[in-house]
Amino acid sequence: GGIIGDFDYSKLEPRLLAWIAKDRVLYDAFTDGGGYKFFAKELWGFDCGDDSPEYRATKAVLLGVHYNMHTPKMAKELWILGVHFSADDHEHERKTDRLRHTYLRLVPGVSKYMEVQEAFLLQHRYVVAADGATRHLPLTDGKDTPGYGHILNQAINFPVQRLASTVTGSALLDIEAELLRLHGLDYRGYTG
């Protein structure tokens, strides 16, 4: 009908991570189980509204874990977002750590995926995405390589982000092809 949809891609990476990590709980939650709201209820024990501090904290914890963020940085990021579990820094960090570990227990496939990625990185010094794309990483001295944490994050995130870009790009090509078809064109006619 001539209407172009602007859809929410914010759940794409968690879905793809679930598929890559073979984590059924994460997959089910983000395909037909409420996504962040499902995990908010698991973490807090009650339904959280979209604009609640608990929902914002849940989303930050999930995304932080998915990007291999550890407790100290996650606690700082939550604080910046305005989510304060306590006025005491140590208590705030302790509660952040509890949420982080509770989430990791809910999605054991994610932890396993991260362990596998790290082992592969240490052995091969590169990682591979689902489409076969390879990313070589500057690992010179194993875990003693300067910036190892950043390199590990790249090893964990590259396969997910690569696939997300591929899926999004493919969808854009499908939209463009449909728009051209509506005007009686195909790519050859459009670019020729």
Side-chain angles (χ1 to χ4, degrees), residues 27-53:
Y27 184 80
D28 288 347
F30 277 95
T31 53
D32 56 17
Y36 295 110
K37 286 184 179 184
F38 168 81
F39 287 108
K41 187 170 186 176
E42 291 294 313
L43 293 176
W44 299 98
F46 58 89
D47 291 322
C48 303
D50 289 354
D51 60 347
S52 69

Side-chain angles (χ1 to χ4, degrees), residues 119-179:
F120 190 90
L121 169 67
L122 289 169
Q123 182 177 358
H124 301 284
R125 297 181 179 181
Y126 66 87
V127 291
V128 181
D131 65 354
T134 301
R135 181 160 190 185
H136 294 273
L137 294 163
L139 196 64
T140 55
D141 296 318
K143 289 184 177 185
D144 293 329
T145 300
Y148 176 73
H150 182 68
I151 293 167
L152 176 59
N153 292 348
Q154 291 177 55
I156 290 168
N157 296 322
F158 172 71
V160 177
Q161 292 172 340
R162 169 71 183 204
L163 191 54
S165 294
T166 302
V167 168
T168 303
S170 176
L172 291 172
L173 289 173
D174 289 346
I175 291 169
E176 185 176 50
E178 181 61 20
L179 289 172

Side-chain angles (χ1 to χ4, degrees), residues 32-93:
D32 56 17
Y36 295 110
K37 286 184 179 184
F38 168 81
F39 287 108
K41 187 170 186 176
E42 291 294 313
L43 293 176
W44 299 98
F46 58 89
D47 291 322
C48 303
D50 289 354
D51 60 347
S52 69
E54 294 86 3
Y55 180 83
R56 287 194 318 274
T58 300
K59 194 169 180 179
V61 167
L62 268 66
L63 294 173
V65 166
H66 296 177
Y67 286 103
N68 197 34
M69 188 182 295
H70 294 277
T71 300
K73 185 173 182 184
M74 189 179 291
K76 183 177 180 182
E77 293 291 323
L78 285 167
W79 193 271
I80 291 168
L81 283 173
V83 178
H84 308 152
F85 299 128
S86 171
D88 177 68
D89 289 347
H90 296 293
E91 181 64 13
H92 172 73
E93 190 169 309

